[in-house]
Amino acid sequence: MAGASSDTRPGQRDLTSGPIASTLLAFALPTLGSNVLQSLNGSINAIWVGRFLGEDALAATSNANIIMFLMFGAVFGFGMAATILVGQSFGRRDVESARRAFGSAIGLVLAASIVVGALGWIFAPQILRLLATPPGAFDLALIYLRVIFAGLPAQMALVLMFMGLRGTGDSLTPLWFMGVSVLLDAGLNPVLILGLGPAPAMGIAGSATATLIAGVVAVAALAAYIHFRDLPLRLKGAELRYILPEAKLTRTIVSKGLPIGAQMLVISVAGLAMVGLVNRLGVHTTAGYGVTLQMWAYVQMPALAIGAAVSAMTAQNIGAGRWDRVGRITGAGLLFNFVLTGAAVAIMLVFDRQILGLFVGHDSPALPIAEHINALATWGFILFGGTMVLFGVVRANGAVWGPLIILFVSMFPVRLGLAIGLQPWLGTDALWWSFPIGSAANVIGAALYYRYGPWRTGTVAIPGGDGNANTAVEPAGTLKPAT
């Protein structure tokens, strides 16, 4: 039976009423804080590894982290599909359907991540060879990668719980528990790398083990918090059966989740192909590129936070039948992306030497390479942010194939095609120019799909729930493109 109450719990926001811009910003800022903490954690760990274990170890973690993003993409789509269902259910005030979607997603993601983690452990050497991992970094990358694979189920469960909470309008709780994970991971890194106190000296395996421990502790603590605070997505008593995915609900999640996961895989494969091209340029270029990726993680954080907030807000409004607000949500998201991502790009361009020097030291031969990559490519993340907003809006109504096709074209024929095809004229600069050019192609495709694509028709309903309540298709001509 659908829950009818609209009462909010600690950290929750009603995303279907009130001023759009201020509500969106207030919802997005904690998500941005979570993303910054996550990136800060990766950067701190890279600093520990780079300073204590050297450039070979840093190159090893760079290769391993790209692979983990690939594995993450294999199961991430299920979580995103569940978030859409949770958001639209909450817009309809159908709490029961939200819990069913969340439970099925938990069961699917845990099963998938266990399988992927086991396969990753087994085939880690072959994956690293496909990447042309430099010989000096291969053994270190293998050790690091296998421990990270072991921690994949806990990491994926934590991400899914964060996504589900945001679907209910709660972006504060994920921020606090991301803080718990970061404090544990960053604090344990030097202890386990160097063997401080009673801990054994584990080298690069210590960095990965710290991440594993932090993920397990954080996910257990968050599950306990959701249960004892009686948050809307809590599952207890007879509701625990929802973790065993229902057949019809599973088909809905998989039909939407696979294309979303495929988008992550497209990004990952393109990233792996780029790493393969970079690795052939030597360990200094690989390290410089790895350092630049660390910095780019910060630059893209505002765009990712705003895109997630726009998606959650749009899903709730579609569920509530408030199509009149969707265009204004899109416009506010694009404006906030331009301001916040533009500010992040400006900071990284002005203070690049100081920031990049944190990772490798100011006398490292990798530093000028990283500075050069930053100068040519970082500005393209403003365009990337526009894509995240537009994709977030259309995905909130279950449109997943259009974004996948657009992303594939921008990543492969455009980005990688230019990176390889322009090398006779631009040399290695062709690799770095391919990033902003690919982002331009992506945002143009996203804008055309938002304006002319069929994403406004239909809605995503949970089988057996109150999926038809307040979810009428947008009346023709009432939703205008954002300006």
Side-chain angles (χ1 to χ4, degrees):
M1 178 175 170
S5 174
S6 62
D7 295 339
T8 58
R9 305 295 174 87
Q12 275 186 270
R13 291 182 176 274
D14 181 1
L15 305 179
T16 62
S17 61
I20 287 174
S22 59
T23 301
L24 177 62
L25 186 61
F27 183 74
L29 287 177
T31 303
L32 175 59
S34 297
N35 291 342
V36 169
L37 283 175
Q38 187 176 33
S39 294
L40 182 63
N41 182 48
S43 298
I44 292 172
N45 292 350
I47 291 171
W48 292 132
V49 170
R51 292 300 180 92
F52 292 152
L53 301 175
E55 287 188 1
D56 282 348
L58 186 61
T61 61
S62 176
N63 277 262
N65 287 334
I66 289 287
I67 295 166
M68 285 313 301
F69 187 76
L70 173 64
M71 298 300 104
F72 177 82
V75 292
F76 174 79
F78 297 148
M80 190 66 206
T83 301
I84 294 167
L85 293 172
V86 167
Q88 290 202 12
S89 296
F90 262 78
R92 296 189 296 269
R93 304 296 188 255
D94 185 359
V95 178
E96 181 74 9
S97 289
R99 288 173 180 161
R100 288 172 54 208
F102 180 69
S104 288
I106 285 285
L108 285 170
V109 166
L110 282 177
S113 60
I114 289 170
V115 171
V116 170
L119 291 174
W121 178 286
I122 294 169
F123 294 106
Q126 290 85 345
I127 295 171
L128 292 172
R129 290 191 188 98
L130 284 175
L131 280 181
T133 302
F138 187 92
D139 290 340
L140 293 172
L142 180 59
I143 295 169
Y144 182 87
L145 183 59
R146 278 183 160 163
V147 179
I148 289 292
F149 269 124
L152 184 64
Q155 292 291 334
M156 283 306 307
L158 187 65
V159 169
L160 177 59
M161 292 163 77
F162 287 170
M163 293 168 68
L165 287 167
R166 291 181 185 124
T168 70
D170 180 1
S171 59
L172 279 174
T173 299
L175 174 62
W176 304 133
F177 284 88
M178 178 59 73
V180 171
S181 177
V182 168
L183 286 174
L184 280 173
D185 196 354
L188 287 174
N189 251 269
V191 173
L192 297 178
I193 289 173
L194 299 175
L196 302 179
M202 300 174 65
I204 197 170
S207 179
T209 302
T211 300
L212 187 154
I213 293 171
V216 171
V217 171
V219 77
L222 179 56
Y225 180 84
I226 291 172
H227 178 80
F228 288 112
R229 294 300 300 269
D230 198 32
L231 297 186
L233 291 184
R234 62 99 180 96
L235 301 176
K236 61 183 180 181
E239 294 168 339
L240 291 172
R241 73 183 187 277
Y242 295 158
I243 296 176
L244 297 175
E246 305 169 37
K248 292 182 179 179
L249 187 51
T250 297
R251 283 195 292 271
T252 300
I253 293 175
V254 170
S255 68
K256 300 300 180 184
L258 284 179
I260 297 174
Q263 293 172 39
M264 299 290 291
L265 293 177
V266 166
I267 295 172
S268 300
V269 172
L272 290 173
M274 187 64 70
V275 167
L277 295 174
V278 173
N279 281 341
R280 288 168 172 82
L281 302 175
V283 71
H284 295 312
T285 302
T286 301
Y289 180 60
V291 167
T292 307
L293 290 178
Q294 288 290 332
M295 194 183 71
W296 284 352
Y298 289 99
V299 177
Q300 67 184 331
M301 286 303 104
L304 294 174
I306 294 165
V310 163
S311 190
M313 194 170 185
T314 302
Q316 283 202 15
N317 279 272
I318 290 174
R322 296 299 310 271
W323 278 98
D324 57 300
R325 291 165 56 89
V326 172
R328 288 181 287 154
I329 293 169
T330 307
L334 291 171
L335 176 62
F336 287 140
N337 166 70
F338 181 80
V339 173
L340 296 178
T341 304
V345 168
I347 291 170
M348 293 303 178
L349 290 175
V350 172
F351 300 104
D352 60 342
R353 187 168 187 83
Q354 293 88 337
I355 296 170
L356 293 166
L358 292 173
F359 300 99
V360 292
H362 292 284
D363 58 346
S364 170
L367 180 59
I369 297 173
E371 289 181 284
H372 184 65
I373 298 170
N374 175 51
L376 293 184
T378 300
W379 64 273
F381 280 97
I382 299 173
L383 305 177
F384 164 83
T387 301
M388 290 300 98
V389 171
L390 295 170
F391 279 180
V393 172
V394 302
R395 275 200 297 247
N397 202 35
V400 292
W401 287 104
L404 174 59
I405 294 169
I406 293 166
L407 189 64
F408 181 86
V409 171
S410 68
M411 287 290 175
F412 288 96
V414 178
R415 176 181 291 179
L416 288 175
L418 291 175
I420 296 170
L422 293 180
Q423 284 195 50
W425 294 274
L426 298 179
T428 58
D429 280 356
L431 275 65
W432 321 134
W433 274 112
S434 71
F435 284 93
I437 295 173
S439 295
N442 213 1
V443 74
I444 291 170
L448 291 173
Y449 185 78
Y450 175 84
R451 177 63 179 87
Y452 300 107
W455 64 273
R456 298 173 180 87
T457 59
T459 189
V460 184
I462 296 180
D466 293 343
N468 296 321
N470 297 324
T471 57
V473 175
E474 178 219 0
T478 61
L479 182 61
K480 306 299 181 186
T483 57

